[in-house]
Amino acid sequence: LDRSGALNFPCGHRRGTHACRPCRPRERSAQISAGASTPIASLTSASLTPAARLASAVLGKRTPLCVGLDPRWESLPLELRRKHGDGQKPHDLAGVAAAYQEFCLTVLELVAPYTGVVKPQMAFFEGCGPRGLDAVTAIMARARELGLLVILDAKRGDIASTASAYAEAAFAGSKFGPATLPVWGAEALTVNPYLGEDAVAPFVVEARKAGAG
């Protein structure tokens, strides 16, 4: 931007007044960021690649910020710990899950105007047992309602049919005979690659099938 508020390019041209080939990609990016023309964010998700959806989220909020949802009992506000426990220890696992859900839903409402991506950490929810899985399901659903991309931070790492089962659940859904039933519906999934290519390939395959990242 120059002092008048006009958008200029490295070649010295002003936006919309030149045909400088090197600047054309920059001009298109600037139009998207400024809300001009037809920005990526206005297109349907089905028409975009995972990379384009991520770019849309970043450009739409003007930040690459990804907010992690890693709730831990001892770090929750005291009011929540008293509501679902005695302030120090929880009543039970269901109470922990309820506290995590309440806390993370509040966080989503607060951060939605400022970020396009959130990343719930499955380990903390799985630590609460079945109620924890219900909690993260509700949190992911609310994130999508707010227009946020969801990266499921599960760090899966296995091979063959086990890896495929993890991947199916994360993306398009688990397969039961001819039926595919949705589970997490994540935009992306963290994977542990230390077992080598066999531990990564099934996730890539399922992500591509689902149009996920």
Side-chain angles (χ1 to χ4, degrees):
L1 291 172
D2 63 18
R3 292 182 179 179
S4 68
L7 183 60
N8 293 332
F9 295 95
C11 64
H13 289 124
R14 294 168 69 90
R15 190 183 78 187
T17 63
H18 72 286
C20 176
R21 187 176 297 276
C23 285
R24 286 176 186 169
R26 294 187 181 94
E27 182 174 21
R28 177 57 179 157
S29 177
Q31 288 174 338
I32 292 172
S33 296
S37 187
T38 305
I40 290 177
S42 70
L43 303 176
T44 62
S45 295
S47 66
L48 301 178
T49 64
R53 289 197 294 273
L54 178 60
S56 174
V58 170
L59 289 171
K61 299 298 172 63
R62 298 175 181 267
T63 176
L65 174 68
C66 172
V67 174
L69 301 173
D70 301 44
R72 280 169 276 192
W73 174 260
E74 60 274 14
S75 299
L76 294 178
L78 181 59
E79 179 183 357
L80 263 183
R81 287 185 279 129
R82 284 177 173 167
K83 181 178 179 180
H84 300 284
D86 64 8
Q88 294 297 319
K89 59 185 179 181
H91 295 313
D92 50 28
L93 286 176
V96 179
Y100 285 2
Q101 179 173 333
E102 185 174 343
F103 177 75
C104 290
L105 289 177
T106 300
V107 170
L108 288 179
E109 301 297 330
L110 294 173
V111 305
Y114 308 106
T115 184
V117 188
V118 293
K119 182 170 65 68
Q121 169 53 259
M122 280 294 288
F124 298 112
F125 296 99
E126 289 176 348
C128 300
R131 295 291 182 87
L133 300 183
D134 290 339
V136 75
T137 298
I139 291 163
M140 292 174 68
R142 181 56 183 155
R144 285 189 286 268
E145 289 175 358
L146 292 169
L148 304 175
L149 299 185
V150 179
I151 299 174
L152 186 59
D153 194 2
K155 297 182 177 68
R156 301 303 189 196
D158 214 311
I159 61 173
S161 60
T162 304
S164 295
Y166 279 136
E168 290 167 3
F171 299 124
S174 297
K175 295 184 177 70
F176 304 95
T180 297
L181 303 180
V183 183
W184 301 116
E187 177 70 24
L189 174 74
T190 56
V191 176
N192 187 329
Y194 291 115
L195 289 178
E197 183 179 352
D198 288 347
V200 176
F203 295 95
V204 174
V205 169
E206 294 302 325
R208 285 175 174 168
K209 288 181 183 177

